[in-house]
Amino acid sequence: RTVVYDNSVTAFNPTIGITYKAFQNTNLYANYSTGFQPQFAYLALVNFDSYAQDLEPEKTYQLESGLKQKLFNKKALLTIAGYYIEKSNILGIDPNNPDISIPINSAISRGIEASFSGRINEFKLIANYAYNNLRMENSGSSAVFHNSVNNPEHNFNVWALQEFGINKVNLSLGFGSNYWSERNVNSDELTLPDFTTVDALINFNFAKANVAINFNNIFDKRYYTGGSSQFIIFPGQPVNAQLLLSYQL
């Protein structure tokens, strides 16, 4: 049979931002934005008969503020930001039918992000840190929704690069590390452990040619990037290397 589903929704999504130069090398900023995602089209495709009704669209509200600070005679930049994100009318798994989803209440994410990038002579450093606290505000619905699914509460990565000039060859040596804290899977029976990986690179540049070798997970750390249940988890890559060659004509 042919079913015609006709519905429309509208929304006003303002975005407001402001930047204030507090000092010569210091900028403060704040912004507010909203999001809007209709859900009836997706739900109708999943199971029209169950969802032949008006559903409230998913709405997002985001507030962020922070500062950008230039350091070391403007050779480095430090950025620190805090944010609050709220999503309402999101979907959860129907406990009576796991093949479909039903609307529940809202998810609230609070976090801090910090980044640093700087260069002093031939040495370059890049570092990033993120803290994200994601929690559900349940409306009392019996829908199943697990907090912080595949979402690390803490994430940190850093890269250090040293350049050398040897005759007509530019040599770069770099080391980096990435840390993820433990994460929940879409199951009450499994939490993925935290992990730290270490990478390295060697780069040769001479005339118009460039040769780069990337070494990933050099200590062959066994780790998992995420999962969808206690039976399905996704392993990270073991130790590996990549060779990249380029030539400028």
Side-chain angles (χ1 to χ4, degrees), residues 109 132-134 148-154 181-184:
S109 177
N132 183 28
N133 182 277
L134 175 61
S148 306
V149 174
N150 292 323
N151 177 74
E153 192 170 44
H154 302 276
S181 61
E182 62 182 21
R183 288 133 293 133
N184 295 328

Side-chain angles (χ1 to χ4, degrees), residues 68-87:
K68 295 183 178 181
Q69 177 69 50
K70 295 180 181 178
L71 303 169
F72 307 120
N73 294 323
K74 300 182 180 181
K75 294 181 179 180
L77 178 64
L78 173 66
T79 301
I80 301 176
Y83 61 86
Y84 173 91
I85 304 173
E86 180 177 344
K87 286 188 175 183

Side-chain angles (χ1 to χ4, degrees), residues 13 33-37 58-61:
N13 292 324
S33 61
T34 62
F36 173 84
Q37 179 62 51
E58 180 180 288
K59 298 179 181 179
T60 303
Y61 305 90

Side-chain angles (χ1 to χ4, degrees), residues 12-181:
F12 173 64
N13 292 324
T15 299
I16 303 172
I18 185 172
T19 300
Y20 173 68
K21 188 173 184 179
F23 303 100
Q24 180 63 31
N25 296 317
T26 305
N27 287 334
L28 305 177
Y29 73 93
N31 61 66
Y32 170 80
S33 61
T34 62
F36 173 84
Q37 179 62 51
Q39 301 189 99
F40 57 82
Y42 166 75
L43 294 174
L45 290 174
V46 173
N47 190 325
F48 178 85
D49 293 328
S50 297
Y51 296 102
Q53 57 185 358
D54 293 344
L55 290 172
E56 290 293 326
E58 180 180 288
K59 298 179 181 179
T60 303
Y61 305 90
Q62 177 171 329
L63 178 65
E64 179 180 351
S65 63
L67 68 86
K68 295 183 178 181
Q69 177 69 50
K70 295 180 181 178
L71 303 169
F72 307 120
N73 294 323
K74 300 182 180 181
K75 294 181 179 180
L77 178 64
L78 173 66
T79 301
I80 301 176
Y83 61 86
Y84 173 91
I85 304 173
E86 180 177 344
K87 286 188 175 183
S88 59
N89 302 322
I90 61 176
L91 301 180
I93 299 173
D94 187 343
N96 299 317
N97 187 350
D99 293 329
I100 61 176
S101 299
I102 60 176
I104 57 177
N105 199 8
S106 62
I108 296 178
S109 177
R110 304 176 180 90
I112 298 173
E113 294 180 344
S115 65
F116 174 88
S117 62
R119 183 185 185 95
I120 300 178
N121 297 326
E122 308 304 321
F123 177 76
K124 186 175 183 179
L125 179 67
I126 301 174
N128 299 281
Y129 169 76
Y131 166 77
N132 183 28
N133 182 277
L134 175 61
R135 292 293 181 267
M136 292 299 303
E137 298 292 333
N138 202 320
S139 63
S141 168
S142 59
V144 179
F145 195 99
H146 299 273
N147 294 341
S148 306
V149 174
N150 292 323
N151 177 74
E153 192 170 44
H154 302 276
N155 175 231
F156 175 76
N157 61 78
V158 60
W159 263 101
L161 186 69
Q162 179 67 48
E163 298 177 350
F164 305 90
I166 304 175
N167 295 327
K168 295 183 179 181
V169 177
N170 294 320
L171 171 65
S172 299
L173 300 177
F175 289 92
S177 182
N178 184 38
Y179 169 78
W180 282 29
S181 61

